[in-house]
C-alpha cells in the first residue's frame, strides 16, 4: 500500500466528535499515524505525542512530524473534527508534483445539525 493517513488532534473538541471521526477513519485499509497534542490517544498504528500549545503553528508542526514518520509515497491529512467519507481515501494522485484537495466540503454546526456546502474549499483538512 502506498498510502498513509496522518491524523492530527489538539484534543480540545467534544469527545463525541473525536470518537465519531475516529470511528469513520478506523475503517480505512492503510496505516494511520496519529500525532496528538499533550496526551496519548488510543488511535493509529503509530502514535506520536507532542508537547505544546494549540495554535496554527503547532498544527503545522504536528503535520510535519507525521509526514516525517510516514514511509509511504502518499499521505492523506485528517483532522480530528472532520468526518471523511471512505471514498475520500480512494484517490491516488495522477502526478507527484502537485498537492490535491478534496473540494466536496460540507460544514456542520454540531449543536443543531445545520449544514451547508461550500464551493472550492481548499482547506488543509482536505489535502
Amino acid at each position: 500500500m502506498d498510502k498513509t493517513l496522518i491524523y492530527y488532534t489538539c484534543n480540545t473538541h467534544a469527545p463525541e466528535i473525536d470518537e465519531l471521526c475516529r470511528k469513520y477513519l478506523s475503517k480505512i485499509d492503510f496505516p494511520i499515524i496519529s500525532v496528538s497534542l499533550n496526551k496519548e490517544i488510543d488511535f493509529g498504528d503509530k502514535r506520536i505525542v507532542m508537547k505544546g500549545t494549540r495554535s496554527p503553528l503547532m498544527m503545522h508542526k504536528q503535520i510535519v512530524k507525521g509526514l516525517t514518520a510516514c514511509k509511504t509515497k502518499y499521505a492523506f491529512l485528517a483532522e480530528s473534527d472532520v468526518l471523511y467519507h471512505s471514498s475520500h481515501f480512494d484517490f491516488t494522485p495522477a502526478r507527484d508534483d502537485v498537492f490535491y484537495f478534496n473540494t466536496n466540503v460540507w460544514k456542520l454546526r454540531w449543536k443543531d445539525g445545520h449544514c451547508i456546502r461550500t464551493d472550492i474549499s481548499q482547506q488543509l483538512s482536505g489535502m
Side-chain angles (χ1 to χ4, degrees):
M1 181 65 62
D2 272 352
K3 300 175 184 176
T4 296
L5 176 73
I6 310 295
Y7 171 85
Y8 49 99
T9 180
C10 57
N11 292 305
T12 61
H13 304 104
E16 60 270 18
I17 294 174
D18 286 340
E19 291 166 12
L20 182 62
C21 292
R22 290 180 197 156
K23 177 183 172 185
Y24 277 82
L25 291 173
S26 66
K27 295 177 182 181
I28 65 168
D29 192 26
F30 50 83
I32 297 173
I33 298 171
S34 67
V35 187
S36 175
L37 189 59
N38 296 321
K39 73 176 187 177
E40 189 170 337
I41 59 170
D42 185 20
F43 186 70
D45 302 295
K46 181 174 180 87
R47 300 169 187 170
I48 300 168
V49 178
M50 294 182 69
K51 299 294 182 194
T53 303
R54 180 179 182 237
S55 70
L57 177 60
M58 179 53 72
M59 179 181 69
H60 285 86
K61 287 181 178 183
Q62 287 176 266
I63 292 168
V64 169
K65 188 70 131 176
L67 290 170
T68 301
C70 181
K71 303 300 180 206
T72 57
K73 186 172 183 177
Y74 303 111
F76 287 85
L77 303 182
E79 292 185 9
S80 61
D81 63 342
V82 176
L83 281 176
Y84 297 88
H85 189 272
S86 60
S87 65
H88 174 81
F89 304 104
D90 292 340
F91 178 75
T92 300
R95 294 177 44 185
D96 291 343
D97 60 344
V98 175
F99 290 99
Y100 292 89
F101 293 87
N102 183 345
T103 58
N104 182 19
V105 176
W106 290 79
K107 305 275 185 171
L108 169 72
R109 190 168 51 213
W110 183 254
K111 62 182 168 180
D112 66 3
H114 179 72
C115 193
I116 61 168
R117 186 184 182 296
T118 63
D119 289 326
I120 311 175
S121 176
Q122 293 185 349
Q123 57 195 42
L124 196 53
S125 63
M127 184 178 258

